[in-house]
Amino acid sequence: QVQLVESGGGLVQPGGSLRLSCAASGSIFRINDMGWYRQAPGKERELVATITVEGSTNIADSVKDRFTVSRDNAKKTVFLQMNSLNSEDTAVYYCNADIKRVSWMRMSTYWGQGTQVTVSS
């Protein structure tokens, strides 16, 4: 079994910051890309940021100047640093990762359970 567990969400005032973490655990042979998505009420899930094993990143234009993504490969963890938060950032944030459980298996995409981020005064 593979699990992705997010942490770091919560309530923050406009202009504030949060740092989300997502740790992968379980039977893991290799992790390729890791990333963050979010889903606001009444909207579709959207890409926030992804990061490769080598550290190359892809960040959505809507958050590019405020969010950064990073990872610790040794700890199988991906981070999302969110600054200058506003109400439009309110959403459930999900992490995902492309994981190969054993050498002979193909890559599969796994998702975390999500963490709520609420930006409100």
Side-chain angles (χ1 to χ4, degrees):
Q1 283 281 30
V2 172
Q3 280 191 316
L4 297 179
V5 179
E6 298 108 333
S7 60
L11 174 64
V12 62
Q13 292 186 342
S17 298
L18 281 176
R19 188 186 194 217
L20 305 182
S21 301
C22 173
S25 63
S27 176
I28 296 173
F29 174 76
R30 177 177 174 82
I31 303 177
N32 277 4
D33 292 0
M34 303 183 82
W36 292 93
Y37 289 71
R38 68 185 182 184
Q39 187 166 19
K43 295 187 177 181
E44 293 187 352
R45 190 174 297 189
E46 63 175 0
L47 170 71
V48 177
T50 61
I51 183 167
T52 68
V53 174
E54 296 80 12
S56 296
T57 62
N58 176 37
I59 302 176
D61 288 341
S62 59
V63 302
K64 186 168 290 186
D65 296 331
R66 302 182 293 119
F67 291 10
T68 57
V69 60
S70 60
R71 65 191 282 174
D72 183 330
N73 290 328
K75 295 183 178 180
K76 302 183 180 66
T77 300
V78 62
F79 306 96
L80 184 68
Q81 177 67 44
M82 305 185 293
N83 300 325
S84 301
L85 287 161
N86 59 61
S87 60
E88 294 184 351
D89 298 315
T90 294
V92 178
Y93 284 71
Y94 299 90
C95 74
N96 79 346
D98 294 330
I99 293 174
K100 180 179 289 192
R101 293 180 58 192
V102 293
S103 60
W104 51 266
M105 292 181 72
R106 64 187 179 99
M107 283 283 177
S108 296
T109 299
Y110 292 84
W111 291 86
Q113 80 287 353
T115 186
Q116 177 70 46
V117 172
T118 302
V119 184
S120 176
S121 55

